[in-house]
């Protein structure tokens, strides 16, 4: 009898193990491609602005063969904090990473979705831009940019490969894809994988690959409708920044330095233009509107050419999946940590809760479960990525995660319980770009913003009537009742998300040197 029981026990154990292995091997693979500062207006699936000049056919494929999210938003539109929210599913005040400049060190010991996948049997890797000031955790392999305070450089970059500095030769966007594909080729074949492929591009200083440097040399790129915004009704907020065309530096404008300069003097020469009163000019030959237009044309051509390499390399990844029979069982996502201003309101950079900055491109393909040409208009935020990925992979989502899974919408079903609005909060001030800290609420139609550091000002926009956000209706009597309702909803969101600090406490966060990137207070 004991022998029979032992045989039955062994058979049962083998059967359970066999089922677990089967579950693991049939789970979806995941490739999450994240770029830096990619505006939706520079993606032809989203916008017609540059569709004829600079289409993005490979990114567009994801929209045609999967889903495109029309209202996906960063909760803090700046590189490091957005990335921290993406991998933790939590707001900055919960994951502890508020800002880039003197923002401290991301707490790698906390829960992240790559850790959860790794613990559930996934092989995990991250290559490219990390920008969180601490060593990545939850990855079997990582290789991230370490030059220039982890911003990285476009040419001949240095990476940390599992903690060891490695100097590479070539163009960063191509190299990062090379490393990702190499890892895919050498990974364990019997386990599902999660790969984070994270490009530096198209972040400042917008350096194109050599073959694309003169792509639009003889063309004039169209100017945005709000290029000459006068900031009426927003003088102390939108009208008081360091991110207009006046603040491009010599490096941005691709000017050549004197041969005699080296070291710190060379860096200082290139950085001229970052501060008020430092006006970069090509040989002092231009002024006024003509100078602003020259700067925009230089900038936008470099930006779009840099995006072209991102699109090319996404094509390489898609081709690899197809050639290796991985298309059907691989979730592939493309997003950016936030948007970017491409001359709208006369600006470059991001940070603001305005649409061009706050809106993230977000496209996802998974042939097994996402119907082609799916369009999602629900209000989604970057904290929703982690729970959605885990939901699709069948991995437990802990209660501490503040985001929610939108897998239901991806599968083509309406989600009647979905949130009607998203909460936003930006902290960094005054460096870089002198954007007032602010928080607010964005619904499917309206946006309410409170600027609070040197000022105490509110702004309100009707995105249906005023999609460019140039008409601040905060003092409109016709909208008084709606404004009161949105203020109450904003207060409720702050409480629900655990961020009901006083204004003095919030200002203290902006003032504090937490150490980390761009800080003298380093470990």
């Amino acid at each position: 009898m004991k022998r029979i029981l032992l045989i039955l026990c062994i058979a049962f154990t083998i059967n359970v193990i066999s089922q677990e292995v089967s579950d693991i091997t049939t789970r979806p693979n995941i490739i999450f491609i994240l770029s830096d500062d990619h505006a939706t207006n520079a993606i032809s699936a989203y916008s017609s602005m540059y569709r004829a000049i600079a289409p993005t056919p490979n990114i567009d494929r994801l929209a045609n063969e999967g889903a495109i999210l029309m209202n996906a938003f960063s909760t803090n539109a700046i590189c490091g904090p957005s990335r921290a929210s993406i991998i933790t599913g939590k707001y900055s005040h919960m994951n502890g990473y508020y800002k880039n400049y003197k923002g401290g060190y991301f707490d790698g010991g906390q829960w992240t979705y790559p850790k959860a996948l790794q613990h559930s049997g996934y092989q995990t890797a991250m290559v490219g831009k990390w920008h969180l000031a601490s060593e990545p955790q939850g990855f079997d392999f990582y290789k991230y940019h370490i030059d220039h305070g982890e911003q990285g450089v476009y040419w001949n970059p240095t990476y940390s490969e599992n903690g060891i500095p490695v100097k590479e030769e070539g163009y960063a966007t191509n190299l990062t894809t090379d490393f990702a594909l190499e890892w895919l080729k050498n990974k364990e074949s019997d386990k599902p994988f999660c790969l984070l492929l994270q490009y530096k591009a198209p972040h400042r200083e917008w350096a194109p690959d050599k073959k694309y440097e003169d792509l639009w040399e003889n063309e004039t790129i169209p100017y945005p409708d709000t290029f000459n915004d006068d900031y009426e009704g927003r003088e102390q907020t939108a009208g008081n920044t360091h991110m207009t065309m006046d603040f491009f530096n010599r490096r941005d404008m691709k000017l050549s330095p004197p041969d005699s300069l080296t070291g710190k003097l060379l860096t200082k020469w290139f950085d001229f233009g970052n501060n008020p009163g430092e006006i970069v000019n090509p040989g002092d030959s231009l002024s006024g509107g003509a100078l602003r237009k020259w700067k925009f044309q230089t900038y936008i051509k470099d930006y779009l050419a840099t995006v072209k390499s991102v699109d090319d390399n996404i094509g390489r990844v898609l081709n690899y999946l197809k050639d290796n029979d991985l298309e059907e069982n691989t979730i592939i996502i493309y997003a950016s940590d936030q948007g970017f201003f491409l001359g709208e309101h006369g600006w470059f950079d991001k940070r603001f809760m305005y649409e061009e900055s706050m809106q993230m491109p977000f496209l996802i393909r998974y042939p097994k479960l996402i119907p082609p040409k799916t369009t999602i208009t629900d209000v989604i935020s970057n904290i929703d990525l982690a729970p959605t990925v885990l939901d699709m992979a069948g991995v437990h989502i802990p209660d501490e995660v503040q985001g929610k899974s939108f897998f239901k919408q991806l599968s083509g079903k309406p989600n009647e319980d979905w949130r009607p609005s998203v909460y936003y909060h930006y902290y960094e001030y005054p460096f870089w770009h002198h954007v007032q800290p602010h928080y607010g609420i964005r619904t499917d139609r309206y946006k309410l913003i409170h600027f609070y550091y040197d000022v105490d000002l509110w702004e309100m926009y009707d995105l249906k009537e005023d999609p460019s956000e140039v008409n601040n209706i905060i003092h409109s009597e016709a909208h008084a009742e709606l404004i009161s309702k949105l203020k109450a909803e904003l207060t409720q969101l702050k409480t629900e998300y655990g961020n009901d600090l006083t204004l003095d406490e919030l200002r203290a966060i902006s003032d504090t040197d937490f150490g980390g990137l761009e800080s003298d207070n380093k470990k």
Side-chain angles (χ1 to χ4, degrees), residues 121-141:
Y122 273 74
Q123 300 169 85
T124 58
M126 187 280 298
V127 294
K129 183 171 179 179
W130 178 240
H131 203 237
L132 289 173
S134 60
E135 288 298 297
Q137 295 185 33
F139 300 99
D140 302 313
F141 173 83

Side-chain angles (χ1 to χ4, degrees), residues 214-249:
D214 301 318
L215 197 56
W216 299 288
E217 185 177 11
N218 298 316
E219 297 186 48
T220 298
I221 306 295
Y223 298 91
D225 292 339
T226 59
F227 184 69
N228 294 310
D229 192 347
D230 62 5
Y231 314 118
E232 182 180 356
R234 300 158 289 134
E235 292 85 356
Q236 295 181 18
T237 54
N240 186 21
T241 75
H242 297 170
M243 49 195 273
T244 63
M245 303 293 110
D246 292 334
F247 289 90
F248 284 128
N249 61 39

Side-chain angles (χ1 to χ4, degrees), residues 109-370:
Q110 65 185 301
W111 181 95
T112 66
Y113 85 84
K115 279 186 182 180
L117 290 170
Q118 186 184 52
H119 292 160
S120 70
Y122 273 74
Q123 300 169 85
T124 58
M126 187 280 298
V127 294
K129 183 171 179 179
W130 178 240
H131 203 237
L132 289 173
S134 60
E135 288 298 297
Q137 295 185 33
F139 300 99
D140 302 313
F141 173 83
Y142 63 80
K143 188 167 184 172
Y144 70 91
H145 285 286
I146 59 176
D147 297 304
H148 291 185
E150 296 186 12
Q151 286 287 1
V153 294
Y154 279 97
W155 289 99
N156 304 329
T158 307
Y159 295 84
S160 172
E161 184 173 328
N162 285 4
I164 301 173
V166 179
K167 182 80 170 181
E168 302 286 0
E169 298 293 320
Y171 185 62
T173 308
N174 301 332
L175 287 171
T176 300
T177 308
D178 290 344
F179 305 143
L181 296 181
E182 182 180 356
W183 181 82
L184 286 174
K185 293 172 185 175
N186 294 324
K187 63 176 177 54
E188 294 181 47
S189 59
D190 61 340
K191 296 175 67 176
F193 64 83
C194 174
L195 168 65
L196 276 58
L197 170 52
Q198 305 191 157
Y199 296 119
K200 169 187 171 60
H203 191 278
R204 193 179 188 179
E205 66 281 2
W206 317 292
D209 197 351
K210 296 294 184 185
K211 62 183 178 180
Y212 293 138
E213 283 183 340
D214 301 318
L215 197 56
W216 299 288
E217 185 177 11
N218 298 316
E219 297 186 48
T220 298
I221 306 295
Y223 298 91
D225 292 339
T226 59
F227 184 69
N228 294 310
D229 192 347
D230 62 5
Y231 314 118
E232 182 180 356
R234 300 158 289 134
E235 292 85 356
Q236 295 181 18
T237 54
N240 186 21
T241 75
H242 297 170
M243 49 195 273
T244 63
M245 303 293 110
D246 292 334
F247 289 90
F248 284 128
N249 61 39
R250 286 171 173 151
R251 184 181 288 103
D252 299 328
M253 294 293 98
K254 309 303 185 290
L255 298 182
S256 299
D259 294 336
S260 60
L261 295 181
T262 58
K264 291 183 178 179
L265 289 177
L266 179 61
T267 299
K268 184 177 180 180
W269 188 92
F270 273 124
D271 286 344
F272 181 86
N274 288 338
N275 302 309
E278 298 178 351
I279 305 301
V280 173
N281 201 320
D284 298 324
S285 58
L286 297 172
S287 63
L291 179 58
R292 290 180 71 246
K293 288 184 175 180
W294 171 77
K295 289 182 177 180
F296 172 76
Q297 291 296 325
T298 302
Y299 158 57
I300 195 63
K301 290 175 182 178
D302 285 343
Y303 181 95
L304 294 175
T306 304
V307 167
K308 188 164 180 58
S309 287
V310 172
D311 190 74
D312 288 348
N313 279 278
I314 290 172
R316 292 178 61 197
V317 175
L318 294 176
N319 289 339
Y320 178 88
L321 295 179
K322 183 177 182 180
D323 293 344
N324 289 274
D325 297 322
L326 292 169
E327 279 187 312
E328 288 300 310
N329 199 39
T330 299
I331 300 166
I332 184 163
I333 300 167
Y334 179 71
S336 175
D337 45 11
Q338 62 267 320
F340 211 67
F341 292 106
L342 304 181
E344 298 93 351
H345 307 288
W347 293 330
F348 67 101
D349 209 66
K350 58 267 185 175
R351 301 167 195 272
F352 273 115
M353 195 181 167
Y354 303 138
E355 289 294 279
E356 295 89 353
S357 164
M358 182 187 186
Q359 186 182 16
M360 302 165 59
F362 198 111
L363 308 102
I364 178 168
R365 186 186 74 179
Y366 184 34
K368 278 189 175 181
L369 294 173
I370 301 176

Side-chain angles (χ1 to χ4, degrees), residues 399-443:
D399 292 339
E400 68 187 83
V401 173
Q402 293 179 301
K404 303 297 180 186
S405 171
F406 54 90
F407 183 28
K408 189 173 183 179
Q409 291 97 310
L410 289 173
S411 58
K413 303 171 185 176
N415 190 341
E416 303 298 338
D417 297 326
W418 193 252
R419 71 169 79 89
S421 58
V422 63
Y423 167 63
Y424 179 91
H425 202 138
Y426 170 78
Y427 300 85
E428 190 171 295
Y429 185 78
F431 203 67
W432 288 68
H433 298 297
H434 200 263
V435 172
Q436 288 282 340
H438 56 284
Y439 59 84
I441 182 174
R442 204 275 195 193
T443 72

Side-chain angles (χ1 to χ4, degrees), residues 327-523:
E327 279 187 312
E328 288 300 310
N329 199 39
T330 299
I331 300 166
I332 184 163
I333 300 167
Y334 179 71
S336 175
D337 45 11
Q338 62 267 320
F340 211 67
F341 292 106
L342 304 181
E344 298 93 351
H345 307 288
W347 293 330
F348 67 101
D349 209 66
K350 58 267 185 175
R351 301 167 195 272
F352 273 115
M353 195 181 167
Y354 303 138
E355 289 294 279
E356 295 89 353
S357 164
M358 182 187 186
Q359 186 182 16
M360 302 165 59
F362 198 111
L363 308 102
I364 178 168
R365 186 186 74 179
Y366 184 34
K368 278 189 175 181
L369 294 173
I370 301 176
K373 299 185 183 298
T374 296
T375 299
I376 297 174
T377 57
D378 286 343
V379 175
I380 307 291
S381 72
N382 57 0
I383 62 172
D384 299 324
L385 172 75
T388 302
V389 167
L390 296 189
D391 194 9
M392 297 177 77
V395 177
H396 172 69
I397 304 165
D399 292 339
E400 68 187 83
V401 173
Q402 293 179 301
K404 303 297 180 186
S405 171
F406 54 90
F407 183 28
K408 189 173 183 179
Q409 291 97 310
L410 289 173
S411 58
K413 303 171 185 176
N415 190 341
E416 303 298 338
D417 297 326
W418 193 252
R419 71 169 79 89
S421 58
V422 63
Y423 167 63
Y424 179 91
H425 202 138
Y426 170 78
Y427 300 85
E428 190 171 295
Y429 185 78
F431 203 67
W432 288 68
H433 298 297
H434 200 263
V435 172
Q436 288 282 340
H438 56 284
Y439 59 84
I441 182 174
R442 204 275 195 193
T443 72
D444 61 346
R445 175 168 177 174
Y446 297 101
K447 185 179 295 183
L448 179 73
I449 314 173
H450 183 208
F451 295 89
Y452 64 81
Y453 190 90
D454 290 335
V455 298
D456 183 5
L457 295 171
W458 290 83
E459 294 179 4
M460 166 83 166
Y461 299 98
D462 181 342
L463 300 172
K464 180 179 179 181
E465 299 297 328
D466 177 29
S468 296
E469 297 172 292
V470 294
N471 182 24
N472 178 14
I473 57 174
I474 194 65
H475 299 299
S476 166
E477 292 184 7
H479 295 87
E481 184 177 347
L482 175 60
I483 291 170
S484 295
K485 179 182 177 183
L486 287 174
K487 283 186 176 181
E489 187 176 345
L490 174 57
T491 299
Q492 181 181 350
L493 285 178
K494 290 170 65 182
T495 301
E496 288 178 0
Y497 287 122
N499 196 17
D500 50 2
L501 299 177
T502 67
L503 292 183
D504 284 341
E505 289 171 327
L506 291 174
R507 292 185 185 105
I509 292 171
S510 299
D511 292 339
T512 299
D513 181 350
F514 293 100
L517 304 176
E518 300 185 82
S519 172
D520 295 328
N521 181 23
K522 296 181 179 179
K523 290 180 180 178

